[in-house]
Amino acid sequence: MTSPDFDLRASIRSIPDYPKPGIMFRDITTLLGDARAFRRAVDELVQPWAGMKIDKVAGIEARGFILGGAVAHQVSAGFVPIRKKGKLPHKRVSVAYALEYGEDMIEMHADALVAGERVVLVDDLIATGGTAEAAVKLLRQLGANVLAACFVIDLPELGGADKLRKMDVPVRTLISFEGH
Ligand code: AMP
């Protein structure tokens, strides 16, 4: 098998101690700037659901918009932005989630999807899974059938993918990095 992991891993730039000491930031701008890697990532993200009916792709601000938009185009689905608090202009639904210090909120337009629609969630990276868990709650609040959550990068030691699987969400990740 030609490993998608092999090509894609080399296209990710790792920046130590950003945005603060002890964090290894996994920068996907290098992947996005490489036409072959970008296409490969988009194709691989939805490969298990290719041919299935997908009504909407939901992307998490901000890198999930870039990947999710491309995925939506690829599978001929609509795109739904999941945004940080205060950015969406129309009637919203929101879910709070815990940060390292304090909490934050993500929002979606209340008419962004209708109950029963088949939705795939996309973001660049899953770490603790707090953001994605809140996004799944938000989608389910509107009655979405969350088919899967897809991420280019998994930090498995932080347990995010397991957290989503416990919510009965199938998880697709392309590259794992050990450590934080
Ligand atoms: P979490 O809610 O802990 O799963 O964090 C996921 C969100 O934070 C994603 O939207 C990522 O883009 C971002 N993130 C967390 N850790 C990193 C990291 N080491 N490198 C790049 N982005 C990260």
Side-chain angles (χ1 to χ4, degrees):
M1 175 181 149
T2 51
S3 164
D5 201 349
F6 179 79
D7 279 335
L8 285 179
R9 182 180 291 270
S11 73
I12 309 268
R13 177 163 52 196
S14 296
I15 301 172
D17 300 318
Y18 182 89
K20 55 185 183 182
I23 303 289
M24 180 65 86
F25 191 83
R26 307 297 180 176
D27 174 21
I28 63 153
T29 62
T30 39
L31 179 153
L32 298 173
D34 176 336
R36 196 165 151 258
F38 188 18
R39 169 162 289 284
R40 189 69 179 260
V42 171
D43 287 347
E44 290 287 337
L45 274 177
V46 289
Q47 188 270 326
W49 299 276
M52 280 193 204
K53 180 172 148 44
I54 299 172
D55 297 304
K56 300 276 165 64
V57 173
I60 301 175
E61 185 173 359
R63 282 161 274 165
F65 290 178
I66 303 163
L67 291 162
V71 166
H73 178 76
Q74 178 86 347
V75 300
S76 301
F79 179 78
V80 176
I82 294 181
R83 301 211 62 178
K84 309 270 164 61
K85 192 173 136 192
K87 302 275 184 75
L88 289 168
H90 193 57
K91 193 172 172 235
R92 298 162 295 271
V93 287
S94 48
V95 167
Y97 63 101
L99 294 175
E100 200 176 342
Y101 303 103
E103 66 169 36
D104 209 343
M105 215 174 246
I106 53 170
E107 298 183 325
M108 211 171 93
H109 275 148
D111 61 359
L113 56 90
V114 295
E117 281 195 306
R118 296 160 60 86
V119 180
V120 169
L121 179 68
V122 173
D123 201 1
D124 65 327
L125 179 148
I126 184 158
T128 65
T131 318
E133 180 186 34
V136 169
K137 286 184 186 162
L138 200 55
L139 293 166
R140 286 182 172 168
Q141 229 182 76
L142 291 178
N145 173 6
V146 182
L147 296 182
C150 305
F151 308 86
V152 173
I153 301 165
D154 183 21
L155 306 184
E157 287 165 31
L158 297 181
D162 287 341
K163 192 180 273 175
L164 291 188
R165 290 188 184 104
K166 285 197 185 105
M167 300 172 82
D168 288 325
V169 178
V171 179
R172 168 100 170 136
T173 62
L174 304 182
I175 305 165
S176 285
F177 284 108
E178 300 310 316
H180 297 183

